[in-house]
């Protein structure tokens, strides 16, 4: 046990000491700490004179807790069915699993580590102090209980994931059984809402509120127990508090029993999930995406084998096309395209039904471009810079930059056409406006891609993705503001017959700026350094 | 021919390479020896044009970042870097097309055959073990028939057959007149074929010997290596 305590204490101590070398993180932690202290001070000084005021329906908060917990529960179950969540890290596997320390103690260590991370993760709840107080009249007791609910859901969710993994790993029948049970449970909740909706003739919102605040909901494992605990604290019901905690304890005991009983060797079971978690974390740190373990196996067909085209720098583009074809049969069309097309279609339908003004169409364009920004920030060129080949290929830097960015420039064009084709059809918008919207969307994609090149050129190997996002977003706002302004002015000045031209100044500016950025930063490959990330 | 002239590479205040200079002639196998953190990989990456540095590196008379120098250079990195979504054969095709190679298919087949990858042609990069990835990386590096070849710890992760085959490939390249630079920790693995050795310590070249020097003086390369690397440590401890 000494080793485990030493490990926990030393890791914590070293993590604190490492902040000395990371001033940015230190400032961030200090900021978070001050915000929490500020919120607590606010809570104390704001007093409780608000009691009796007209607060929001408490059930809304219950719906939020239940909804978030159900979502987390689903992700944990899913994780258990694929790789199993993990309480451990790779160093634990390499150093602790092989050491002469009892596996039960190691499991306890894993649980404590996860608990620590959950405590940190749950800090965001304290940001909501002012919100919770103003809207629901809650005090410290309720806020602390919310925090406890979050920690309970995360820790026991992790345990459940491991339990499910051990139970179903390599056994399709059991996997199907777990899936069926989960789907039935979720369908049951949905059916309850539909039943209340039909039976009492209330709206869908009210039906959902009634279901989540019913006593039956409190018995749904983990998510329901969390809401029961919270309501117990709010209503000062010791019975509800003890019952929910008892249910959590029972689940924990069963899971630990599964993990440690008989011949069950959880080392082997958590090994795969630990490796997967490690790879995913590494990839996330480096801004890469990793192929999901247990995902669809890619079969290379004879007729699809080979890059087929390209010479010199253009080979990079054809290679990207091949890679995209391997990921999606329709090359440029993927889940993101589908998401935006369906979203635009649904919005178009709603806008038409509610007869909302044409100005709302620009909101859709803005939103689509905004979402695209976060997707395109990790373009193909960025991926290419993590391998040495692009630096070694004997071609000029600008040719390589353009070739490696080509698919990132083409995808927004295809997406834009599809999104606004559907939108024009469903909303009944002027087709010409749709064409210019698609062009504006594609031009936004081009400028985002060019910005990643500028970012690479200026900041080079800046591993922090948050810094990258803020840097690009700041620059983006700065450079696009005038063109957006001109487009807004055009909206007021142009006659109705020429209203479709409103986005043209913005599009034109984006294209010009993209060309300028490519020309200015074309020497990126010659100037950048390869770091492998 | 490779000339490294007064190359210094800094990461902030840390000096990874400090005024490093050496030369490798055509048909010469030169090894870079040194403990971990001596700066071997950094100088190799600088030669390959992957890092910015102060100083001068010439490959066959061309500045190392020029297109002609890139055409003449082959680089086999320490960590194999394959594309997850490309098969083994497609890696060969990618290099061939990117370098605009002619009549490369037979050469690629021979390379794959020699490293026992013939039956793995349709395997994706993500499906290969670390050792196999290293083999593909070697094939990619040699497919272009480079005149200057950089190997960064090439034997790590390879099976005995592949090590044997790689050694004979290196000797063949030497006979063809390539200038070869190998960074390694494994003194035994290069013992039979090195022509010159640079021992690095703390980012500097601490000693340089040719095979003739060693054979003439009766000096032992391994003993010299330990004398430099551990002698330095002893000296530091003595100062403390």
């Amino acid at each position: 046990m000494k080793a485990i305590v030493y490990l926990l204490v030393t890791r914590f101590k070293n993590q604190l000491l490492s902040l000395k070398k990371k001033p940015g993180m230190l400032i961030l932690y200090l900021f978070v700490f001050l915000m929490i202290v500020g919120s607590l001070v606010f809570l104390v000084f704001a007093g409780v004179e608000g009691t009796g005021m007209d607060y929001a329906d408490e059930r809304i908060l219950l719906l939020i807790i239940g909804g978030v917990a159900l979502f987390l529960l689903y992700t944990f179950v899913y994780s258990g069915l694929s790789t199993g969540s993990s309480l451990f890290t790779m160093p634990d596997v390499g150093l602790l699993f092989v050491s002469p320390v009892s596996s039960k103690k190691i499991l306890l260590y894993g649980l404590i580590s996860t608990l620590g991370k959950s405590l940190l993760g749950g800090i965001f709840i304290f940001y909501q102090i002012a919100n919770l107080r103003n809207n629901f009249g809650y005090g410290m007791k309720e806020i602390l209980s919310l925090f406890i609910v979050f920690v309970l859901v995360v820790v026991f969710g992790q345990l459940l994931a491991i339990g499910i993994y051990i139970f179903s790993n390599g056994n399709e029948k059991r996997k199907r059984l777990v899936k069926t049970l989960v789907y039935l449970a979720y369908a049951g909740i949905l059916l309850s809402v539909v039943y209340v909706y039909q039976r009492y003739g209330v709206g869908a919102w009210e039906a959902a509120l009634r279901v989540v605040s019913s006593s039956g909901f409190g018995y749904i494992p983990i998510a329901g127990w969390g809401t029961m605990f919270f309501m117990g604290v709010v209503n000062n019901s010791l019975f509800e508090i003890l019952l929910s905690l008892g249910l959590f304890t029972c689940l924990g005991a069963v899971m630990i029993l599964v993990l440690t009983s008989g011949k069950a060797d959880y080392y082997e079971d958590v090994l795969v999930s630990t490796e997967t978690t490690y790879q995913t974390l590494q990839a996330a740190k480096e801004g890469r995406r990793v192929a999901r373990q247990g995902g669809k196996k890619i079969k290379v067909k004879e007729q699809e084998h080979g890059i087929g085209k390209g010479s010199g720098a253009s080979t990079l583009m054809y290679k990207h096309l091949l890679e995209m074809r391997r990921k999606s049969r329709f090359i440029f069309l993927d889940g993101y395209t589908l998401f935006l097309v369906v979203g635009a279609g649904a919005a178009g339908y709603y806008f038409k039904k509610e007869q909302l003004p044409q100005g709302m169409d620009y909101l859709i364009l803005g939103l689509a471009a905004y979402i695209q920004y976060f997707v395109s920030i990790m373009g193909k060129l960025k991926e290419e810079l993590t391998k040495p080949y692009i630096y070694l290929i004997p071609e000029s830097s600008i040719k390589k930059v353009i070739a490696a960015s080509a698919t990132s420039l083409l995808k927004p064009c295809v997406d834009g056409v599809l999104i606004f084709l559907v939108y024009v059809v469903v909303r009944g918008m002027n087709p010409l406006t749709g064409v210019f919207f698609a062009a504006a969307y594609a031009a936004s994609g081009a400028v985002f891609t060019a910005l990643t090149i500028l970012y690479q050129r200026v900041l080079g190997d800046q591993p922090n993705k948050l810094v990258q996002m803020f840097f690009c977003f700041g620059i983006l706002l700065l450079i696009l503001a005038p063109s957006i302004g001109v487009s807004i002015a055009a909206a007021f000045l142009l006659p109705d017959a020429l209203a479709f031209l409103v986005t043209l100044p913005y599009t034109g500016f984006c294209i010009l700026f993209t060309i300028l950025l490519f020309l200015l930063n074309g020497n990126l490959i010659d100037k950048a350094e390869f770091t492998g990330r | 021919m490779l000339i490294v002239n007064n190359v210094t590479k800094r990461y902030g205040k840390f000096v990874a390479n400090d005024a490093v200079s050496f030369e490798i002639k055509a048909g010469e196998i030169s090894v870079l020896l040194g403990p971990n953190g001596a700066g071997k990989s950094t100088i190799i990456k600088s030669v390959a044009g992957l890092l910015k540095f102060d100083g001068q590196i010439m490959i066959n008379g061309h500045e190392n970042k020029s297109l002609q120098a890139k055409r003449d250079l082959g680089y086999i990195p320490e960590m194999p870097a394959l594309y997850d979504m490309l098969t083994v054969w497609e890696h060969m095709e990618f290099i061939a097309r990117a370098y605009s190679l002619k009549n490369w298919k037979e050469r690629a087949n021979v390379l794959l055959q020699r490293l026992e990858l013939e039956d793995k042609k349709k395997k994706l990069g993500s499906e290969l073990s670390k050792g196999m990835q290293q083999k593909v990386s070697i094939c990619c590096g040699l497919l272009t028939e480079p005149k200057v070849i950089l190997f960064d710890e090439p034997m790590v992760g390879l099976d005995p057959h592949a090590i044997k085959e790689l050694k004979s490939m290196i000797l063949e390249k030497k006979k063809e007149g390539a200038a070869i630079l190998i960074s390694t920790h494994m003194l035994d693995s290069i013992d039979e074929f090195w022509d010159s050795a640079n021992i690095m310590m703390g980012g500097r070249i601490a000693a340089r010997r040719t095979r003739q020097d060693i054979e003439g003086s009766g000096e032992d390369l391994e003993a010299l290596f330990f004398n430099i690397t551990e002698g330095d440590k002893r000296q530091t401890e003595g100062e403390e």
Side-chain angles (χ1 to χ4, degrees):
Chain A
M1 200 64 192
K2 269 184 190 169
I4 301 278
V5 174
Y6 173 80
L7 198 58
L8 282 168
V9 172
T10 313
R11 275 179 65 181
F12 181 69
K13 191 182 78 187
N14 288 349
Q15 214 150 5
L16 281 182
L17 289 176
S18 72
L19 288 177
K20 278 203 298 193
K21 290 178 186 165
K22 297 175 187 168
M25 285 304 278
L26 188 64
I27 292 167
L28 184 71
Y29 282 138
L30 280 175
F31 178 73
V32 170
F33 178 73
L34 289 175
M35 286 288 285
I36 292 169
V37 171
S39 301
L40 289 174
V41 169
F42 166 80
L43 194 71
V44 172
F45 283 98
V48 286
E49 62 264 31
T51 315
M53 275 171 63
D54 201 11
Y55 289 125
D57 190 344
E58 207 166 55
R59 296 177 305 168
I60 295 173
L61 187 65
L62 219 53
L63 185 65
I64 295 171
I65 300 171
V68 170
L70 279 174
F71 172 74
L72 286 175
L73 190 61
Y74 181 80
T75 59
F76 284 128
V77 171
Y78 183 82
S79 155
L81 285 172
S82 52
T83 59
S85 184
S86 187
L87 302 172
F88 302 99
T89 60
M90 282 308 280
D92 296 334
V93 171
L95 300 172
L96 211 52
F97 282 19
V98 292
S99 69
V101 176
S102 119
S103 59
K104 285 172 189 155
K105 283 177 186 165
I106 292 174
L107 182 62
L108 183 70
Y109 158 80
L111 283 170
I112 293 172
S113 301
T114 307
L115 187 72
K117 284 176 209 155
S118 310
L119 287 172
L120 270 180
I123 278 176
F124 75 92
I125 288 168
F126 289 101
Y127 279 131
Q128 301 302 323
I129 286 176
N131 244 338
L132 291 166
R133 204 203 157 276
N134 291 336
N135 292 317
F136 300 99
Y138 285 161
M140 183 51 90
K141 183 182 70 173
E142 288 86 358
I143 285 151
L144 265 179
S145 75
L146 256 184
F147 179 68
I148 293 169
V149 168
F150 176 80
V151 173
L152 284 174
V153 169
V154 171
V155 171
F156 285 89
Q158 292 262 27
L159 260 182
L160 182 72
I162 295 179
I164 289 174
Y165 180 75
I166 292 174
F167 174 73
S168 64
N169 184 28
N171 188 329
E172 279 307 312
K173 260 188 184 174
R174 288 184 173 187
K175 274 188 183 175
R176 270 201 298 275
L177 177 73
V178 175
K179 267 186 198 168
T180 312
L181 285 174
V182 170
Y183 288 146
L184 279 177
Y186 279 80
I189 298 166
L190 204 67
L191 281 175
S192 311
V193 177
V194 174
Y195 172 76
V196 174
Y197 175 78
Q198 294 276 356
R199 173 83 172 75
Y200 300 102
V202 291
W205 174 249
E206 175 61 24
L209 289 178
R210 285 191 188 187
V211 167
V212 83
S213 58
S214 67
S215 58
F217 188 86
Y219 291 97
I220 293 172
I222 300 182
W225 302 342
T227 58
M228 189 199 284
F229 177 83
F230 180 70
M231 283 318 289
V233 174
V234 171
N235 299 329
N236 292 320
S237 164
L238 192 65
F239 174 72
E240 278 185 316
I241 295 172
L242 290 178
L243 181 61
S244 57
L245 287 179
L247 287 168
F248 273 118
T249 312
C250 285
L251 174 77
V254 170
M255 287 304 147
I256 290 172
L257 209 68
V258 170
L259 258 65
T260 56
S261 69
K263 287 179 183 171
D265 183 354
Y266 75 87
Y267 281 7
E268 186 185 328
D269 291 318
V270 299
L271 198 59
V272 178
S273 58
T274 305
E275 279 173 2
T276 311
T277 312
Y278 174 76
Q279 282 167 4
T280 313
L281 278 174
Q282 282 300 109
K285 276 183 193 169
E286 293 160 16
R288 288 184 287 114
R289 294 181 194 128
V290 282
R292 192 161 44 81
Q293 288 276 326
K296 197 176 78 177
K297 192 170 160 53
I298 296 163
K299 264 193 177 176
V300 180
K301 291 178 190 163
E302 191 56 53
Q303 65 270 26
E304 290 174 359
H305 195 211
I307 298 169
K309 277 182 185 169
S311 175
S314 71
T315 313
L316 287 164
M317 183 187 76
Y318 289 105
K319 179 182 77 69
H320 290 162
L321 287 172
L322 175 68
E323 288 171 335
M324 290 169 89
R325 200 165 62 225
R326 293 249 155 90
K327 283 182 184 164
S328 165
R329 197 181 301 169
F330 306 104
I331 308 178
F332 287 109
L333 311 184
D334 52 17
Y336 166 77
T337 315
L338 189 71
F339 168 73
L340 276 189
V341 166
V342 171
Y349 174 77
Y350 179 74
F351 290 176
K352 191 181 179 187
K353 195 178 157 211
E354 299 293 324
Q355 295 184 326
L356 294 179
Q358 283 180 355
M360 294 301 283
D361 300 337
Y362 295 100
L363 185 75
I364 294 300
L365 174 63
L367 204 63
Y370 178 74
I371 297 170
Q372 187 193 184
Y373 168 75
F374 291 100
V375 178
S376 63
I377 207 81
M378 290 305 305
K380 278 281 181 189
L381 174 66
K382 180 79 183 77
E383 271 178 44
E384 212 55 67
L385 291 174
T386 63
K387 303 257 191 274
Y389 305 105
I390 193 165
Y391 302 88
L392 299 169
I393 293 170
E395 290 283 346
S396 73
S397 174
I398 189 150
K399 277 187 187 171
K400 289 189 277 191
V401 167
I402 292 171
S405 307
T407 52
S408 303
L409 295 170
L410 283 170
K411 182 165 167 52
C413 298
V414 177
D415 285 349
V417 168
L418 278 170
I419 292 164
F420 291 102
L421 179 70
V422 170
Y423 191 73
V424 163
V425 171
V426 178
R427 165 79 153 144
M429 188 170 76
N430 177 4
L432 217 48
T433 310
V435 170
F436 278 89
F437 267 37
Y441 178 85
S444 305
V447 94
F448 297 158
T449 304
L451 265 178
T452 60
I453 300 171
L454 175 69
Y455 165 81
Q456 282 292 331
R457 185 73 183 80
V458 176
L459 292 184
D461 179 43
Q462 168 55 260
N464 194 326
K465 299 297 148 216
L466 210 64
V467 173
Q468 180 176 3
M469 290 233 175
F470 277 121
F471 172 81
C472 284
F473 211 74
I475 300 243
L476 194 69
L477 286 178
L478 216 69
I479 57 167
L480 293 186
S483 64
I484 294 171
V486 175
S487 278
I488 292 171
F492 290 103
L493 296 172
L494 284 173
D496 282 355
L498 293 176
F500 61 86
L501 290 175
V502 163
T503 53
L504 193 59
Y506 169 78
T507 307
F509 185 81
C510 283
I511 293 170
L512 277 176
F513 197 72
T514 302
I515 293 169
L516 187 72
L517 280 181
F518 267 90
L519 288 175
L520 285 176
N521 301 299
N523 60 354
L524 171 75
I525 311 291
D526 291 337
K527 301 291 176 192
E529 290 206 332
F530 169 70
T531 59
R533 64 182 181 204
Chain B
M1 179 180 189
L2 170 69
I3 300 171
V4 175
N5 188 14
N6 208 21
V7 169
T8 297
K9 171 67 193 168
R10 289 185 182 88
Y11 291 104
K13 286 178 187 166
F14 176 71
V15 183
N17 286 154
D18 189 4
V20 172
S21 297
F22 59 84
E23 232 181 271
I24 305 172
K25 294 185 178 70
E28 178 182 337
I29 297 176
S30 183
V31 289
L32 267 180
L33 303 172
N36 293 330
K40 304 187 296 292
S41 287
T42 306
I43 192 69
I44 285 203
K45 281 181 186 155
S46 296
V47 174
L50 303 176
L51 299 177
K52 288 186 272 187
F53 57 87
D54 295 324
Q56 190 188 40
I57 297 174
M58 303 297 282
I59 292 170
N60 285 342
H62 305 280
E63 188 266 324
N64 77 324
K65 290 210 172 187
S66 67
L67 298 189
Q68 189 51 51
K70 284 177 193 285
R71 268 183 216 111
D72 287 348
L73 185 83
Y75 168 59
I76 291 92
E78 185 181 8
M79 296 291 287
L82 301 191
Y83 294 105
D84 288 351
M85 286 289 150
L86 291 196
T87 64
V88 169
W89 182 253
E90 283 162 354
H91 275 88
M92 297 287 106
E93 187 188 350
F94 170 66
I95 294 295
R97 287 183 179 278
Y99 281 73
S100 307
L101 303 180
K102 303 266 183 263
N103 309 318
W104 57 273
K105 285 185 183 167
E106 200 190 325
R107 221 161 49 239
N109 273 320
V110 171
L111 282 168
L112 295 178
Q113 211 171 14
R114 290 183 73 173
L115 291 177
E116 297 181 312
L117 286 169
E118 223 190 353
D119 57 335
K120 307 277 185 306
K121 276 182 180 175
K122 281 174 76 177
K123 284 259 178 210
L124 292 170
S126 57
E127 295 171 346
L128 299 175
S129 68
K130 164 105 192 309
M132 280 187 200
Q133 289 189 7
Q134 179 69 351
K135 289 180 187 179
V136 179
S137 192
I138 292 167
C139 293
C140 287
L142 297 181
L143 183 66
T144 59
E145 298 192 303
K147 296 184 180 75
V148 174
I149 312 173
L150 312 172
F151 289 98
D152 196 354
E153 301 287 356
M155 320 275 184
V156 175
L158 292 184
D159 56 46
H161 171 85
I163 290 177
K164 190 173 148 229
E165 203 59 48
L166 178 62
K167 282 181 182 176
S168 65
M169 282 176 175
I170 290 172
L171 284 169
E172 284 163 29
K173 290 290 159 195
K174 172 188 157 83
K175 276 182 196 157
E176 287 168 19
I180 300 165
L181 178 63
I182 306 170
S183 154
T184 185
H185 293 293
M186 303 178 187
L187 295 172
D188 297 346
S189 66
I190 44 91
D191 200 34
E192 64 227 71
F193 56 66
W194 65 276
D195 296 313
S196 62
N198 290 292
I199 301 175
M200 290 191 75
M201 188 71 194
R204 289 167 166 266
I205 302 280
R208 179 177 165 85
R209 298 286 187 276
T210 63
R211 187 173 277 274
Q212 286 87 343
D213 294 338
I214 294 275
E215 284 171 353
S217 64
E219 204 178 15
D220 178 43
L221 186 62
E222 193 172 346
L224 177 68
F225 175 83
F226 286 119
N227 192 26
I228 289 171
T229 54
E230 296 189 351
D232 195 77
K233 213 184 290 174
R234 279 196 295 272
Q235 194 183 335
T236 316
E237 282 165 3
E239 281 168 10
E240 282 168 1

